[in-house]
Amino acid sequence: MRIRVTAAALCAAVLVAGCGGGGGDSDAKATDSAAAQGPSSGSGSGSASASAAASQAPAEPLGEAQLKSAALVGGDVDGYQITDFPVKPDGDSTARPADCQPLENMRTASPDPGPKAFVGLLAFGGAGPTAGSATTIGLMAYDRSDAEGILDGLRTALKKCTAYEGGVPARTNAKAATAPDAGDEAVAFGLETQGDSADAFVVVRSGATVVLFYTAAGTGSAAEVPAELVTAQIRKLGA
């Protein structure tokens, strides 16, 4: 099951209006240096707090109960409803060319290798510029070397991959974006299926945990992962 389909179904279930909307237009440009770097410079004290918290993040794989304890809950971030993600993602999508596979894997929250434990959330924006937005958050526990490999694989894919077929019934364009200053390292990118606006992805490694943030695009505008969600989740993970 696709994350995007599941998110839409849950939005209908909880009667959240306009759930597909993004948080604004993403101005980040794709460059080799942005794709090759780890964490980029963020702005504001929130990013600095998230980065500092990462230094305290566990270096060993967390169990499912520990991930749940570290996951955001309702009330943690003002303006957002946060619910559990009830369906485990699947990893049966194949990207052509294969260089793009790590990006498609993140679209379905199914990195290779798979995590030792997974906890999923959905965060719905209820007020302000993020009203109606839907962001999927996936916390994934790894051995540290595998966690580092996931981020390395994404950076390599973004250097080589600009578009691919497979996974969805249309061509998907890929573009690197400026990663936030969060966790031990972070990668950001957009995926735009033909005929749609770009969905936004931020992937952060904090210790041995990889956290995926995926915000679906609204009609006519590119999505943007809300910085406050990234900051709050990485800070809580490192607490």
Side-chain angles (χ1 to χ4, degrees):
M1 179 177 293
R2 290 251 170 262
I3 289 178
R4 194 170 182 178
V5 172
T6 306
L10 283 178
C11 289
V14 297
L15 303 180
V16 178
C19 195
D25 205 324
S26 175
D27 295 326
K29 302 299 182 180
T31 64
D32 281 348
S33 60
Q37 290 174 357
S40 300
S41 296
S43 59
S45 59
S47 294
S49 297
S51 184
S55 64
Q56 305 300 319
E60 299 299 323
L62 299 181
E64 186 172 349
Q66 291 172 299
L67 283 183
K68 286 183 177 179
S69 179
L72 294 176
V73 296
D76 280 349
V77 187
D78 290 343
Y80 289 90
Q81 300 176 44
I82 298 175
T83 66
D84 291 339
F85 184 85
V87 179
K88 285 190 175 182
D90 63 61
D92 60 357
S93 296
T94 300
R96 301 180 300 274
D99 286 340
C100 301
Q101 190 64 49
L103 305 179
E104 178 62 19
N105 288 347
M106 273 300 165
R107 185 202 287 276
T108 59
S110 303
D112 184 17
K116 295 177 178 292
F118 175 91
V119 168
L121 308 171
L122 281 171
F124 303 112
T130 60
S133 68
T135 298
T136 301
I137 304 172
L139 289 84
M140 297 174 274
Y142 284 95
D143 292 322
R144 181 157 182 155
S145 60
D146 285 340
E148 292 171 346
I150 295 295
L151 276 290
D152 287 344
L154 290 172
R155 282 189 289 267
T156 298
L158 287 167
K159 288 181 180 179
K160 298 179 178 180
C161 177
T162 58
Y164 64 91
E165 308 285 343
V168 293
R171 184 177 178 84
T172 297
N173 296 318
K175 181 182 291 187
T178 302
D181 183 12
D184 294 304
E185 56 179 327
V187 173
F189 58 95
L191 293 180
E192 181 179 0
T193 300
Q194 185 175 334
D196 290 338
S197 299
D199 295 338
F201 296 77
V202 169
V203 183
V204 182
R205 180 182 67 80
S206 183
T209 304
V210 173
V211 187
L212 163 68
F213 301 87
Y214 167 20
T215 302
T219 303
S221 62
E224 184 175 348
V225 174
E228 57 269 33
L229 288 177
V230 177
T231 297
Q233 180 57 81
I234 300 307
R235 182 189 293 123
K236 188 170 184 179
L237 183 60

